[in-house]
Amino acid sequence: LLWRSRYDRGYRRGLAQRLGYGYSAVETTAQPRIWLHAVSVGETLAMAPLIENLIAAYPERRILITSTTPTGAEQVQRLFGDRVDRSWMPFDTPGAIRRFLDHWQPGILLLAETELWPNSVLLARARQVPVVVLNARLSERSARGYARLRGLSQRVFGALTAVACQQQADADRFQGLGTPARQIRVV
């Protein structure tokens, strides 16, 4: 982020939140939040119809959208305004993720495509928060990279509650890395 912030100062915004601090007071809800992580503009636009449907279908639940890039965060604000809660995605360290989970108390985590951060997935699952990957894709090259860290990869991929894959090849790679076949669908 520091490197990128040399050219785009937007990457310096939200540093406290990226460390798991500095959240504003949040509305307490009877129902746990639906947490969606959409890294940047592309994922936000791809998830927009789903988010609109969730807002309509679950008016009693707050939706939290996390972003990694400044343009993604701006897109969330532009599309959804105050209808959703927004935050920066914390760095994937145990402390930052624990503080984030303590503050927001999500009931489910929906990830776009292949945003699989080990601490985020494993600490959410340790709290009984289902983790679902939507529009999942996993290239052969990425699968080889994950396979080099077999022990960690099997824990992370095995912890996924459900994976909605783009194609059968993606499903095969998710399964090869440890996601149980019964939790994978090609959509």
Side-chain angles (χ1 to χ4, degrees):
L1 290 176
L2 286 175
W3 183 260
R4 285 185 176 185
S5 73
R6 293 177 326 136
Y7 303 105
D8 182 348
R9 291 208 171 276
Y11 280 96
R12 293 184 185 194
R13 289 191 310 231
L15 182 59
Q17 287 184 8
R18 293 177 195 267
L19 295 170
Y21 298 107
Y23 302 113
S24 57
V26 295
E27 176 184 331
T28 304
T29 60
Q31 298 289 323
R33 278 177 176 71
I34 299 170
W35 171 21
L36 292 101
H37 179 56
V39 177
S40 62
V41 173
E43 290 85 358
T44 302
L45 291 173
M47 300 272 275
L50 171 66
I51 295 166
E52 290 292 352
N53 284 331
L54 290 171
I55 290 169
Y58 300 100
E60 74 285 358
R61 295 184 78 168
R62 290 294 296 171
I63 295 173
L64 167 65
I65 304 174
T66 52
S67 304
T68 303
T69 68
T71 54
E74 290 162 8
Q75 187 74 302
V76 171
Q77 171 62 33
R78 204 171 12 260
L79 291 173
F80 306 109
D82 292 336
R83 296 183 300 147
V84 301
D85 295 321
R86 296 176 311 282
S87 179
W88 293 99
M89 180 67 177
F91 294 133
D92 197 54
T93 64
I97 297 299
R98 281 189 192 102
R99 289 186 291 274
F100 176 90
L101 292 171
D102 288 345
H103 180 79
W104 292 106
Q105 300 289 311
I108 189 169
L109 168 55
L110 305 174
L111 299 169
E113 299 181 7
T114 51
E115 280 300 306
L116 301 175
W117 294 96
N119 287 308
S120 299
V121 171
L122 296 174
L123 291 172
R125 292 301 295 138
R127 294 182 186 215
Q128 307 303 309
V129 174
V131 178
V132 178
V133 184
L134 303 172
N135 200 27
R137 60 185 173 81
L138 188 61
S139 70
E140 225 175 284
R141 181 178 178 197
S142 293
R144 282 194 307 270
Y146 282 117
R148 286 188 206 114
L149 301 169
R150 173 103 16 225
L152 177 61
S153 293
Q154 285 183 328
R155 286 182 46 223
V156 171
F157 282 82
L160 299 174
T161 308
V163 181
C165 292
Q166 290 183 15
Q167 301 176 32
Q168 185 60 49
D170 299 309
D172 294 341
R173 287 189 277 271
F174 269 89
Q175 187 175 354
L177 289 167
T179 305
R182 69 184 176 281
Q183 289 161 227
I184 301 171
R185 296 287 178 273
V186 177
V187 297

